[in-house]
Amino acid sequence: MKKPIQSIIVFSILTSSIYGFDYKVNGQVQNWSKFGFNNDKIDTIAGKYPTDSFSVLTASLGLKLDIGAGFYAGIMGTVGGLIFDNTKFQGDGNIVYNPEGLAYNYFGFWPGRDYRSPANPRTARNYVLQNLYVGYKYDKYIDAKIGRFSIPGDWLSGYIQGASLDSYVLPYTRLWGILAHKRASVGGKWLKDFKYMNQNIPVDNGKGFDVYAIGADFKRENFIAQGYVYAQDSRFIAPGFHLGYDSNPEFKSEGFRSKTEILFLYMQIVGPALSKNTAYNNYAYDARINTDKIPVGKGGESLMIKQRFDIDNYNVGGILYVNFGNPNEFLTPYGDPTGFDNYDNSVYDNAAWNNMFRRDAISGFLFGGGTYTNLSWGIIGRITHSPRSNEQALAVNVDYKFPWNITAGIKVEYYNNTTFAGYTLGIGNKITMLGKTISQDRSYASTYISYNF
């Protein structure tokens, strides 16, 4: 409990020192829930596993300070807990396989900062200090920040512990750089404290490695062009680009807009990572070597093409996402260029990551939606084919903004997953090596309600 106490002390010092400064207090109280429709018994021989259901409640409180002379600061913390977890009761009918529950893999997962400690419900952390930073901004020349804060990005986003530097000194251009020492996941179903990205392997001798990124974003009139390079010591180097054309950049839900985006990432895995085993079951069991511990490979490429049309309050569009090789294992788990939730599989299937980011996967999306006063709605369909699995999903979501800063929403998704023979399903010591192809229902409904201030 020492860390929460220290955080409270720091927060108290800041809040007691804000006299004479511009400041803003903000926060949120939220409930997020998932209800899986497949509640069949576990059959480890056949590889049949149900879909998980769970519910979380969180509260966040933050403070932003304008210190003066170009300096600014911020602090925000979140606490919460699981209020329901049906995996505590799932088994074969006679035996409950995980009586302590598995939802900690979403909320509270904590394997230690170096990923060498056991992660289980008893070690779960239900709190995180996601913002704790100091920054300095001088006109268009520099905007520097150090500490804990959130970052945008195509392939790496969320909360990092590190530093960032932005400059708009060149016309129409943002120059930027990021050093990410650790990363956390906070929001909705997620609460994971800061830890190293891409856990260690024995050859690393217990070290954790920083992720670096540099880029230049050019934007003028209807065009955007971004170039960037991501890299991690002993792991990878990954250059890429993001090109776009927006027919109506000032679109405000009136008239017509066409927006086209092309994203590309080249991933080259290097050094000790070449001997690291795949963490996402991207390769099949090899009976010749009698092991499922297969290296991640040399990397590969990802290509995403996204087209969206807006007509007044309505929109429609599509996405093509293609992997050549295995480019997503070390970077994309920490970001998602599609803008949709792609962690909606089952906890019994590789951390709930769906198969569109797998080796040699190809996926197509069609989506549409609209808004009417305080009501918004959307429909999205996805088809994925990969060597590991085929998936078909169709989701409908509705959100409504109530008075008093209250927002609520519901999403219902049909989701079929067909995993091929030779791959694994399950979790922990309940892993099944599939002897034959199996199809399972991963459909679910999710809800949320939040109060923001």
Side-chain angles (χ1 to χ4, degrees):
M1 291 297 293
K2 181 180 289 187
K3 185 174 180 180
I5 293 173
Q6 291 174 341
S7 302
I8 293 172
I9 293 173
V10 171
F11 188 83
S12 299
I13 292 173
L14 279 175
T15 54
S16 64
S17 304
I18 60 176
Y19 181 77
F21 299 132
D22 292 330
Y23 67 93
K24 182 179 179 181
V25 176
N26 64 297
Q28 180 189 78
V29 178
Q30 183 180 78
N31 169 247
W32 190 98
S33 303
K34 174 185 176 181
F35 307 97
F37 298 155
N38 177 355
N39 293 295
D40 292 345
K41 296 178 181 179
I42 293 175
D43 184 341
T44 57
I45 296 176
K48 293 183 178 180
Y49 295 88
T51 303
D52 45 318
S53 300
F54 63 99
S55 181
V56 302
L57 181 65
T58 57
S60 303
L61 182 63
L63 175 69
K64 294 182 179 180
L65 283 167
D66 182 354
I67 302 174
F71 289 94
Y72 59 94
I75 184 171
M76 172 173 273
T78 298
V79 297
L82 288 162
I83 57 179
F84 173 70
D85 179 5
N86 81 327
T87 62
K88 294 180 178 181
F89 314 107
Q90 292 175 336
D92 64 7
N94 298 314
I95 300 174
V96 175
Y97 283 114
N98 299 279
E100 293 183 304
L102 296 171
Y104 73 90
N105 285 278
Y106 303 98
F107 198 92
F109 183 86
W110 181 247
R113 289 182 175 85
D114 60 1
Y115 233 97
R116 289 176 176 262
S117 302
N120 54 56
R122 295 183 299 278
T123 64
R125 286 191 170 184
N126 294 327
Y127 58 86
V128 61
L129 190 65
Q130 70 262 41
N131 276 347
L132 185 61
Y133 61 84
V134 175
Y136 173 75
K137 183 176 183 179
Y138 176 65
D139 197 36
K140 62 183 180 181
Y141 298 101
I142 186 173
D143 187 353
K145 191 184 299 184
I146 187 169
R148 293 180 170 184
F149 50 89
S150 63
I151 58 169
D154 290 337
W155 309 94
L156 171 63
S157 58
Y159 290 92
I160 65 165
Q161 179 175 302
S164 69
L165 180 65
D166 289 5
S167 176
Y168 293 86
V169 65
L170 297 180
Y172 312 108
T173 303
R174 171 192 172 223
L175 304 174
W176 58 271
I178 294 169
L179 184 155
H181 185 55
K182 297 181 177 72
R183 183 184 179 275
S185 298
V186 184
K189 60 190 169 187
W190 298 107
L191 193 147
K192 294 186 176 184
D193 204 351
F194 289 88
K195 59 183 182 296
Y196 292 120
M197 289 175 277
N198 300 318
Q199 63 267 33
N200 298 289
I201 54 179
V203 72
D204 291 332
N205 297 317
K207 297 179 180 178
F209 298 103
D210 297 337
V211 174
Y212 310 91
I214 57 171
D217 302 348
F218 175 83
K219 182 177 181 180
R220 185 174 183 183
E221 296 178 350
N222 305 96
F223 296 93
I224 63 167
Q226 303 173 349
Y228 37 67
V229 179
Y230 296 90
Q232 186 178 28
D233 295 336
S234 300
R235 289 293 183 267
F236 65 83
I237 181 168
F241 62 79
H242 182 164
L243 305 177
Y245 174 81
D246 189 339
S247 68
N248 187 357
E250 305 300 324
F251 181 76
K252 296 181 179 179
S253 299
E254 292 183 358
F256 175 78
R257 178 193 198 188
S258 172
K259 186 175 182 180
T260 305
E261 297 175 272
I262 302 174
L263 285 77
F264 178 81
L265 185 76
Y266 171 76
M267 169 65 66
Q268 178 63 59
I269 296 175
V270 299
L274 290 168
S275 61
K276 187 179 184 301
N277 297 320
T278 177
Y280 293 100
N281 191 218
N282 275 321
Y283 295 87
Y285 171 73
D286 191 338
R288 294 169 299 176
I289 59 176
N290 195 33
T291 181
D292 63 336
K293 297 184 181 301
I294 300 176
V296 296
K298 297 181 180 180
E301 300 82 36
S302 286
L303 173 66
M304 188 182 98
I305 302 173
K306 182 176 182 179
Q307 176 64 54
R308 171 170 166 154
F309 300 102
D310 291 86
I311 303 175
D312 296 329
N313 292 320
Y314 303 97
N315 68 83
V316 66
I319 296 175
L320 175 67
Y321 192 101
V322 185
N323 293 322
F324 305 94
N326 185 27
N328 293 146
E329 182 143 353
F330 283 154
L331 187 57
T332 316
Y334 305 108
D336 186 345
T338 68
F340 300 110
D341 180 12
N342 289 294
Y343 272 93
D344 59 350
N345 201 339
S346 167
V347 72
Y348 297 101
D349 190 350
N350 295 108
W353 212 26
N354 73 34
N355 283 274
M356 68 166 288
F357 295 112
R358 307 289 183 178
R359 172 179 63 94
D360 293 316
I362 180 169
S363 299
F365 293 77
L366 289 176
F367 60 85
T371 60
Y372 178 75
T373 61
N374 293 328
L375 177 72
S376 61
W377 58 273
I379 300 175
I380 180 168
R382 174 177 63 89
I383 297 177
T384 293
H385 171 72
S386 74
R388 181 180 186 271
S389 177
N390 285 344
E391 294 179 326
Q392 304 86 37
L394 179 64
V396 178
N397 64 275
V398 178
D399 302 89
Y400 191 83
K401 295 181 179 180
F402 293 91
W404 309 295
N405 296 323
I406 296 174
T407 305
I410 183 171
K411 174 183 177 182
V412 180
E413 178 167 317
Y414 161 78
Y415 185 166
N416 179 72
N417 177 293
T418 301
T419 306
F420 300 121
Y423 291 86
T424 62
L425 291 172
I427 191 169
N429 60 357
K430 307 297 187 300
I431 296 292
T432 300
M433 190 73 66
L434 296 180
K436 62 180 181 180
T437 297
I438 185 171
S439 293
Q440 298 184 80
D441 181 19
R442 293 293 171 232
S443 304
Y444 68 93
S446 64
T447 64
Y448 77 91
I449 182 168
S450 65
Y451 167 67
N452 299 275
F453 60 91

